[in-house]
Amino acid sequence: MNTEYREVITRAMEYGGILDAMLALQEKDGYLTGEAVEALGKAFNMFPSQVYDTATFYSMLKFEPQSITEILICRGAPCHVAGSVEVIVAIEKEIGIKIGEKTEDGRYSFDYTECLGQCQAAPAVLVNGKLHTNVTPEGITVLLRKGGPEE
Amino acid sequence: MEMINININGKVFSVDAESTILEAATANGIHIPTLCTIKGIDSRASCRICVVEVKGERVFQPACATKVRKGMEVDTDTLAIRKSRKTTLELLLSRHAVDCHHCLRIGNSRCDDLDPAFCEMCFFCECVKDGCCELQALAREYKVDVLPYPHENIDQKVDKSTGSIIRNSNKCVKCRRCVDVCNDIQTVHNLSIINRGSNTKIVPEMDKNMKDSPCVQCGRCVDVCPTGALFVEEHTDEVLFYTHNYGIETAALVSSNTLKKLAELFRMETPVMEAELVVAGLRKIGVDYVYTDEVVNQLSAKDGEKALLKALETEKETVIITDSYAAEKFVKQNFAKLAPKLVTYDSPQRIFSKYMKQNFAGDQNHNTSDFRLIAVTEGGENAADAYENKSVDFVIPARELYSIFIRTGVNPKKRQPLKPDSIVVSPKELPATVFFAPVEWSMEKDIKQTEFVLSGNRIKAAIATNLGQVGVLLEEVQNGNSPYRVIRINA
Ligand code: SF4
Ligand code: SF4
Ligand code: FES
Ligand code: FES
């Protein structure tokens, strides 16, 4: 296990820093496992507590297995001005949980993310990593009804 | 030291050019309230209680982290500043479980019949007035008597997993003191800050519970926490139960490391409380035998000396020696290769325990199972040793003893001093070399070097007074370039 982590980290270190390595490890397991954090600590000469501290700064990094459909909405000011609040309300209504929560069956999770760099086409939403821009409350409802990740 | 002139509150003062506004003001008797900064660690300026107005600056500046400049004009106590500090406190308190009358930082808990809903913010009430909580003292100073913001995030689970160092995150104000001590001074690198913004939390490594974390239970984070978020497990109810119980005998050891804190808590003029007064107080609450620590300290030193003599015969390289629970754990965790070399001897608390269990019980025909041992001492590691190794039954730090006294209405200041019971040892046992005399924990980076003579040999030694120093010293040993024959460690 540990060697696998080391390989992923070594590859990531060729093109980037610790954040790239974290993303690569997340790609592998779906989230950052405890051993992954420890392996990162060794590779970057940091204490596990420091690695974890750094990682938790980014909402795109996860520390537990994720739900099937993950919806992330941008919390940036331009998205807010463009009406992200209405979109949030629509999503909450559709999937029946509040932002920051997970459905009990584990099908959906819904949370904020930081600026997605799509301010020109705000509001922006990520559904399982796929970007949707100029999102409207109606649009997102239709999208979610059509059903999940593959969309 | 270069001096410059600055203007504080309309008066000109000559101050050290390298100092912060806070240091300059304090040096000249001007009070600026603080919550997060501690002496010895660079300020992180995380609480914003110490804000002051600096002429020419757009916003208020944190006095603890702003360096003085020539000709600077500072106001420390304007209405606008007071309002800002008050708002900061109100915001902090909106994320703080304000159940002061149940908090260990409050001495007086003779209020079991109070209604918590009614007494939400009773900072002006007698029942909480004598606390030792920095947050509450500030709330009182700034007359925060209502909570204008809704309470949030105060239902996190209290982490009691270690049985000694307890974390109640609901009381944490994110001042960072504990994080800095655990990382920068102790170099254990357990506590850290995770998330950001209003979700910021202090957690043990990777959000584990304390028991599974690398925490070594040194308790230094407890010592610096300004609130009731970190504390040593309390035993008030047990202690009072056993001291009031006729079938069970209790014996207490009063360590001199608590006397300074006790004097502070009881607002005494003297720098330390007389041990005889503590003895009198403990007798009054029903402790049957009370000892002070001179003899056990000596016996512990003697034990150290014997262990050292033995080790010097076999160990050709540096001897690493300690009586500290946390240091032992730290070495095992971080220097696994050196761990087998580590020489341990009995701490005063363990000596006390052994003495009571062997000699005392035997001599006076007592049954040890009907005995309860209490150590009145500072330091989380003693509590951890009690919990893990059962050296004594209960460790009571100064703060808890204070609250026990207040709760039972015993005021040691007003009592007739009483002589402690004596521990009888053969004079052969004593005295031991001063090398093993008690040392205080410090935040110093500089390591104390010393030389002493033991059975005719001059020995070059170092005494580490915090775990960061231990790290440096043992690194040298590991690399084979330690200049010392003996390293004594204190956590
Ligand atoms: S007791 Fe010591 S090691 Fe444990 S968290 Fe506190 S400072 Fe760190
Ligand atoms: S636990 Fe105490 S010392 Fe640590 S950040 Fe919270 S209030 Fe400060
Ligand atoms: S603010 Fe939403 S994409 Fe930038
Ligand atoms: S004491 Fe200065 S910001 Fe906290």
Side-chain angles (χ1 to χ4, degrees), chain B residues 326-358:
Chain B
E328 200 178 329
K329 216 165 164 182
F330 181 80
V331 174
K332 285 190 180 141
Q333 210 161 277
N334 297 288
F335 295 91
K337 273 196 225 114
L338 297 179
K341 262 169 68 98
L342 187 68
V343 180
T344 56
Y345 63 99
D346 282 338
S347 64
Q349 180 168 308
R350 287 189 194 165
I351 296 273
F352 170 67
S353 160
K354 282 191 183 160
Y355 178 84
M356 294 308 293
K357 284 176 186 159
Q358 294 163 9

Side-chain angles (χ1 to χ4, degrees), chain B residues 88-344:
Chain B
T88 305
L89 285 167
E90 287 168 350
L91 286 167
L92 282 176
L93 288 166
S94 78
R95 298 236 163 179
H96 180 89
V98 189
D99 52 357
C100 302
H101 49 293
H102 295 308
C103 182
L104 81 153
R105 304 288 304 225
I106 300 307
N108 193 338
S109 344
R110 276 180 303 178
C111 46
D112 299 344
D113 50 354
L114 290 181
D115 176 1
F118 178 74
C119 299
E120 270 284 280
M121 285 293 287
C122 41
F123 289 150
F124 303 99
C125 168
E126 278 303 305
C127 85
V128 294
K129 216 175 78 190
D130 55 358
C132 49
C133 169
E134 293 181 41
L135 181 61
Q136 194 192 77
L138 285 168
R140 204 172 304 123
E141 185 178 340
Y142 286 88
K143 317 251 179 301
V144 182
D145 43 13
V146 280
L147 285 180
Y149 305 108
H151 248 135
E152 271 175 36
N153 229 349
I154 48 166
D155 49 8
Q156 300 165 67
K157 209 169 155 277
V158 177
D159 183 349
K160 294 192 164 216
S161 58
T162 60
S164 50
I165 312 292
I166 315 293
R167 288 182 64 245
N168 179 355
S169 309
N170 302 312
K171 302 221 176 203
C172 173
V173 293
K174 284 94 185 170
C175 69
R176 264 196 89 119
R177 286 182 183 179
C178 57
V179 175
D180 287 348
V181 165
C182 188
N183 287 273
D184 299 359
I185 310 292
Q186 297 295 70
T187 61
V188 174
H189 299 283
N190 180 36
L191 298 176
S192 68
I193 299 199
I194 63 162
N195 303 333
R196 58 170 155 169
S198 57
N199 293 325
T200 303
K201 279 211 288 190
I202 311 291
V203 294
E205 183 190 271
M206 289 195 248
D207 211 357
K208 294 174 184 156
N209 66 30
M210 285 288 268
K211 191 167 192 290
D212 303 324
S213 78
C215 173
V216 298
Q217 281 101 46
C218 61
R220 298 307 166 187
C221 52
V222 172
D223 298 347
V224 294
C225 181
T227 70
L230 280 164
F231 56 97
V232 168
E233 176 65 317
E234 297 178 280
H235 296 289
T236 302
D237 292 339
E238 289 93 328
V239 165
L240 290 177
F241 176 79
Y242 290 117
T243 54
H244 291 167
N245 194 315
Y246 283 114
I248 291 169
E249 289 194 284
T250 46
L253 172 70
V254 180
S255 168
S256 32
N257 63 17
T258 55
L259 301 177
K260 194 165 144 235
K261 192 68 161 279
L262 283 170
E264 216 177 282
L265 291 167
F266 278 100
R267 294 171 178 66
M268 296 176 75
E269 309 279 294
T270 50
V272 293
M273 181 181 266
E274 257 177 273
E276 278 79 13
L277 291 180
V278 188
V279 173
L282 285 168
R283 288 258 172 77
K284 180 69 189 164
I285 63 166
V287 181
D288 302 297
Y289 304 93
V290 186
Y291 304 87
T292 49
D293 64 353
E294 299 85 17
V295 178
V296 286
N297 284 348
Q298 289 276 352
L299 288 173
S300 166
K302 197 73 197 173
D303 198 49
E305 191 179 292
K306 280 187 208 150
L308 179 59
L309 275 171
K310 210 166 124 214
L312 284 171
E313 279 168 22
T314 48
E315 175 66 65
K316 290 298 154 235
E317 285 154 30
T318 311
V319 175
I320 310 159
I321 187 163
T322 190
D323 69 340
S324 145
Y325 172 92
E328 200 178 329
K329 216 165 164 182
F330 181 80
V331 174
K332 285 190 180 141
Q333 210 161 277
N334 297 288
F335 295 91
K337 273 196 225 114
L338 297 179
K341 262 169 68 98
L342 187 68
V343 180
T344 56

Side-chain angles (χ1 to χ4, degrees), chain B residues 333-469:
Chain B
Q333 210 161 277
N334 297 288
F335 295 91
K337 273 196 225 114
L338 297 179
K341 262 169 68 98
L342 187 68
V343 180
T344 56
Y345 63 99
D346 282 338
S347 64
Q349 180 168 308
R350 287 189 194 165
I351 296 273
F352 170 67
S353 160
K354 282 191 183 160
Y355 178 84
M356 294 308 293
K357 284 176 186 159
Q358 294 163 9
N359 308 8
F360 196 86
D363 280 1
Q364 306 198 3
N365 296 324
H366 290 290
N367 181 351
T368 20
S369 64
D370 286 333
F371 246 91
R372 291 296 180 286
L373 301 182
I374 303 164
V376 175
T377 177
E378 291 299 297
E381 62 167 335
N382 288 325
D385 184 47
Y387 182 81
E388 295 293 335
N389 303 323
K390 307 279 171 280
S391 52
V392 293
D393 296 288
F394 313 110
V395 162
I396 305 292
R399 229 189 256 155
E400 194 182 359
L401 184 63
Y402 170 73
S403 107
I404 291 179
F405 281 153
I406 298 282
R407 183 195 275 203
T408 49
V410 172
N411 186 347
K413 273 200 298 190
K414 295 204 180 128
R415 301 211 69 80
Q416 204 59 267
L418 283 180
K419 285 248 160 316
D421 290 286
S422 52
I423 290 180
V424 192
V425 282
S426 79
K428 262 205 321 251
E429 292 284 345
L430 306 169
T433 150
V434 290
F435 178 65
F436 286 105
V439 283
E440 264 186 43
W441 181 81
S442 79
M443 291 209 201
E444 293 293 316
K445 293 254 184 296
D446 292 339
I447 294 165
K448 198 173 146 210
Q449 304 190 10
T450 166
E451 269 193 0
F452 64 101
V453 181
L454 192 61
S455 18
N457 297 317
R458 274 203 92 70
I459 292 174
K460 188 169 153 67
I463 302 180
T465 55
N466 58 50
L467 292 176
Q469 296 183 0

